[in-house]
Amino acid sequence: MLLAFGANLGTRAGSPLRTIEASAKCLADAGLILRRLSRPFATPAHPPGSGPEFVNAAALVSSGFPPNEVLERLHGIEAEFGRCRSTGGRWQPRPLDIDLIADGDAVLPDGATQAMWRRLAPERQRQDVPGDLILPHPRVQDRAFVLVPLMDVAPGWRHPLLGETVAEMLARLPAGDSVAIRPLDW
């Protein structure tokens, strides 16, 4: 399973960088086995101007749980660091966001639904929220702030519907999308 971490507000752990580091350590308590963790990266907020700079990272994990259960466990970790999903809107500053990006070649709930969310017009992306888990994450192919960290943990993962690897999806993005992304040290 592939995870994407993001944070741009401080928490009990400290800075966004320390929050991601601490939350990655919480994966084991949630029954998830951390196989690989990317370097952290400083990234501009998405969409531009929507808040302070983010720290992003990615992880490769394994577990014996189905994806919906993994997502519930990830939301529990977010809550431990002060994330309240019922307040604020999409693409707002946040103490911690952990997205389930992919589970191997699984497509949930089905190919047509995933494609509909993947093709959703940008103005609707801010308003519409799926009621069910969509895998792979419908925006993974569009976001350098997810793909750059994924290059550290799973550059060869292939999107089951697009047929492109992480490296190929990143190469397809406009060059300017990844220019502002800077590696950080733990």
Side-chain angles (χ1 to χ4, degrees):
M1 294 182 162
L2 299 175
L3 308 180
F5 294 79
N8 70 342
L9 298 175
T11 68
R12 65 177 171 80
S15 69
L17 176 68
R18 295 296 157 233
T19 297
I20 290 176
E21 183 179 39
S23 67
K25 291 176 182 174
C26 291
L27 294 171
D29 292 337
L32 305 173
I33 300 165
L34 179 63
R35 301 290 183 192
R36 221 174 286 148
L37 181 64
S38 76
R39 296 171 289 170
F41 293 86
T43 63
H46 174 81
S50 63
E53 183 175 73
F54 270 82
V55 174
N56 290 97
L60 173 65
V61 301
S62 59
S63 83
F65 303 110
N68 282 314
E69 175 73 16
V70 169
L71 186 62
E72 285 179 31
R73 290 166 183 258
L74 296 176
H75 288 174
I77 294 170
E78 290 176 348
E80 288 178 38
F81 289 88
R83 172 85 186 265
C84 181
R85 289 186 158 270
S86 64
T87 61
R90 298 192 72 166
W91 304 335
Q92 299 295 315
R94 58 194 56 179
L96 180 63
D97 186 32
I98 310 174
D99 287 334
L100 178 54
I101 299 297
D103 182 10
D105 61 0
V107 176
L108 295 177
D110 56 65
T113 303
Q114 200 283 341
M116 187 272 300
W117 283 100
R118 189 175 70 247
R119 295 180 185 126
L120 194 65
E123 61 275 2
R124 299 246 339 257
Q125 292 174 24
R126 184 180 280 279
Q127 301 167 342
D128 297 355
V129 179
D132 296 314
L133 176 61
I134 309 293
L135 287 181
H137 188 290
R139 302 271 77 79
V140 63
Q141 69 284 342
D142 303 327
R143 295 185 172 163
F145 64 85
V146 173
L147 293 170
V148 169
L150 282 176
M151 286 293 293
D152 279 2
V153 299
W157 173 76
R158 188 172 298 280
H159 193 294
L161 296 175
L162 300 178
E164 295 178 320
T165 65
V166 169
E168 291 166 339
M169 288 184 281
L170 183 58
R172 191 172 42 77
L173 291 178
D177 286 10
S178 57
V179 167
I181 298 175
R182 303 180 328 272
L184 301 170
D185 292 322
W186 288 114

